[in-house]
Amino acid sequence: KTGETKELALVTVTRAKDTIFNHYLEIQGNVDTQENVLIQPEMPGTLVALNVKAGQRVSKGQVLGRVDDGGLAQQVSQLENQYELAKTTFERQKRLWDKKIGSEIQYLQAQTNMVSAQKMVNQVKAQLAKTVIKAPFSGTIDEVFVERGEVVAAGPKGLMRLVNLGNLYVSTTVPEAYIGKIKVGTTADVSITAIGKTYVGRIRQVANSINPDNRSFGIEVAVPNKDNLLRPNQVAKLKIIDYSNKKAIVVPANVILQD
């Protein structure tokens, strides 16, 4: 019509390409380790040796200290002498019995005495071994709570704390609605706000049961600690892929308009 104003809208269209689309589940968890223990003495007594101090690296099986054996070492020596005598008697009796000399009762009695003596030696040696305190795994002595010469016994205080920072993981719980989406081996981004670091981990364990109180299940995410900055009980934020599409057209949210 005459006098009508016409407006032309210019629209720019960009050819879309297929790309990978990932959706993430974001939850909070805690850094943890199964190798964080209080070392306890297996036998009460006086701590006659303390071989480590706080901050020291130790290897699995390394002797950390020793409790007074109360004469067990001398008892082992005596029992070993008795065993050697019983063993010699049995061997002589066996040679005679092989030649049909002597009675079967004498042979069996000598054999029984030797076996009994050997069991006594092993039993006392096992008790003596409990006086030696060894590291159950390799790690670092975090704290030492006792001094040499103290009388020690198993209790809530313990002798020392041993921690291994090389096998850390993040534990958390996930709502049961994600039971079919969270699987072992799934990649997870682990952010530690306190140190400003983000690590890439993998889910190593998914619980086989649902907690009836909060309708959730537990998971563990293995986290590398190459820079040695992770510590047990740190708060972590997890981003876990719960949906992925390798052929998706992704459109920025800010271009979606409603008229």
Side-chain angles (χ1 to χ4, degrees), residues 42-43 72 123-134:
E42 294 189 72
M43 289 188 64
L72 286 176
Q123 182 179 356
V124 178
K125 277 186 174 181
Q127 294 179 352
L128 181 61
K130 292 181 180 181
T131 64
V132 180
I133 303 163
K134 296 182 178 181

Side-chain angles (χ1 to χ4, degrees), residues 76-91 110-111 113-122 125:
V76 168
S77 179
Q78 295 174 358
L79 290 174
E80 285 179 338
N81 291 335
Q82 295 176 10
Y83 167 71
E84 290 298 329
L85 177 60
K87 181 180 178 182
T88 301
T89 302
F90 167 73
E91 291 173 349
Q111 185 182 41
N113 292 340
M114 181 190 68
V115 172
S116 298
Q118 186 177 27
K119 288 183 178 180
M120 286 297 297
V121 170
N122 295 336
K125 277 186 174 181

Side-chain angles (χ1 to χ4, degrees), residues 38-44 145 152-160:
L38 286 173
I39 304 296
Q40 302 280 2
E42 294 189 72
M43 289 188 64
F145 307 111
V152 297
K157 181 181 177 181
L159 302 179
M160 60 195 74

